[in-house]
Amino acid sequence: MSLTEEWMQEIHKGYKLYYQGDDESEKKRYVQYMDDGIRSVKFFSKDNFSKEFDVYVHPDRKALDTQWQNDWKMPDLRSECWMVASGIAGKLDLLSPLKWKTEACEHDYGNKDKTKKLITHELFHIYHAQKNPSPDFAETQGLDWFVEGFATFASGQCDTERLAEIKKAIENKTAPSQLDDFWKGKLKYGLSGSIVMHIDSKYGREKLKELLKYKTKTEVLGALKTTEKELLEAWADYIKKMK
Ligand SMILES: [Zn+2]
């Protein structure tokens, strides 16, 4: 593999960082974001990662797509412009932030707060995947809302702006009526993040952590002793009462 030979490797506490060429100049900043994010995961979970992982900073969109095509066995995959990273039990894949301006949309590397939360979001996926019997989420069923909602909520991406949009959608009766539609469309982060925020608030952090081990929506709802309909009603009430 000629590509592999170009990777440079740096060993850090808990992870190994792989990067190429131009990213050399930014790697200190990447490490800062990683270390901050790892601290956030530990603080939120009062727990640690169960194993070390790799972090790959891909030099361009083509390299990232090639990686995802191989990992997900989808040879025709062309990632959408807003997709810049992924996290599974053993690794984090990231499109070089130096390329976000030209090869991505919706992300601004210059926005430090949002970039930090984006990296932290992926770290929560890694933490989650290390607790899940399907370490790359390939076998999870009907849980997009929970996997993405967990990472969105825990990383602090479900901010007041997004919550206000969700409140409006609920009041206007345009919010989706089933969980399968939560991780879709423009409001996906707010929808998925806010329902996990509701679960955390109502059932507590320990219960939320217990849910990370489940592979199906049925298991998650069973552990909460609720139905999809009840959960959605309780979520809507919770959001409507928010100031
Ligand atoms: Zn995600």
Side-chain angles (χ1 to χ4, degrees):
M1 289 267 292
S2 63
L3 263 179
T4 321
E5 288 162 23
E6 295 165 28
W7 289 109
M8 283 172 280
Q9 187 206 73
E10 216 174 73
I11 295 171
H12 291 274
K13 198 171 186 315
Y15 64 98
K16 285 193 193 104
L17 176 71
Y18 294 86
Y19 61 93
Q20 298 186 18
D22 291 347
D23 286 301
E24 170 98 48
S25 65
E26 287 299 305
K27 68 175 183 193
K28 263 195 184 147
R29 225 161 283 177
Y30 302 158
V31 167
Q32 189 64 55
Y33 283 127
M34 285 296 303
D35 292 346
D36 283 352
I38 288 171
R39 254 195 303 279
S40 296
V41 171
K42 289 182 181 175
F43 182 78
F44 180 91
S45 65
K46 300 282 175 285
D47 190 13
N48 210 336
F49 291 92
S50 33
K51 61 172 189 168
E52 300 200 345
F53 51 87
D54 296 327
V55 178
Y56 285 90
V57 181
H58 297 273
D60 52 36
R61 170 83 51 193
K62 196 166 168 277
L64 179 67
D65 277 0
T66 303
Q67 187 65 57
W68 282 345
Q69 285 159 5
N70 288 330
D71 291 352
W72 302 341
K73 298 178 183 63
M74 294 168 72
D76 300 324
L77 178 136
R78 294 283 175 276
S79 57
E80 294 183 45
C81 64
W82 58 272
M83 298 176 171
V84 295
S86 63
I88 53 175
K91 74 182 170 123
L92 192 163
D93 285 293
L94 177 71
L95 171 65
S96 169
L98 298 173
K99 293 288 169 66
W100 288 2
K101 229 174 221 161
T102 51
E103 298 192 16
C105 58
E106 295 177 30
H107 300 289
D108 173 12
Y109 182 45
N111 186 323
K112 288 183 183 162
D113 180 55
K114 290 205 167 142
T115 300
K116 180 180 160 172
K117 284 174 180 164
L118 184 144
I119 304 277
T120 306
H121 174 116
E122 300 311 327
L123 288 166
F124 274 105
H125 279 324
I126 294 175
Y127 175 75
H128 185 173
Q130 291 185 351
K131 302 275 181 210
N132 199 275
S134 177
D136 59 0
F137 299 119
E139 291 164 24
T140 54
Q141 283 167 19
L143 284 182
D144 284 3
W145 63 275
F146 183 70
V147 172
E148 291 302 338
F150 175 71
T152 299
F153 164 61
S155 65
Q157 289 177 313
C158 197
D159 53 23
T160 49
E161 203 178 310
R162 282 188 167 133
L163 288 169
E165 288 173 344
I166 300 311
K167 195 173 179 183
K168 206 184 280 174
I170 291 171
E171 283 166 357
N172 296 340
K173 302 196 187 312
T174 54
S177 56
Q178 47 179 15
L179 289 168
D180 288 351
D181 291 330
F182 268 49
W183 185 249
K184 283 179 189 167
K186 278 184 89 170
L187 298 182
K188 58 184 179 295
Y189 285 93
L191 287 167
S192 303
S194 68
I195 195 149
V196 174
M197 179 184 275
H198 162 64
I199 291 172
D200 184 65
S201 158
K202 180 170 177 180
Y203 300 86
R205 188 63 46 91
E206 284 311 306
K207 193 66 177 182
L208 178 63
K209 281 164 63 184
E210 179 201 315
L211 302 181
L212 302 178
K213 66 176 184 233
Y214 297 124
K215 288 204 292 187
T216 66
K217 179 164 66 180
T218 312
E219 285 175 306
V220 168
L221 293 171
L224 297 177
K225 299 189 175 63
T226 190
T227 62
E228 180 161 345
K229 190 167 174 287
E230 277 174 6
L231 179 65
L232 290 174
E233 284 168 2
W235 161 75
D237 279 345
Y238 169 77
I239 301 290
K240 277 194 253 177
K241 281 181 195 141
M242 269 186 176
K243 289 245 165 70

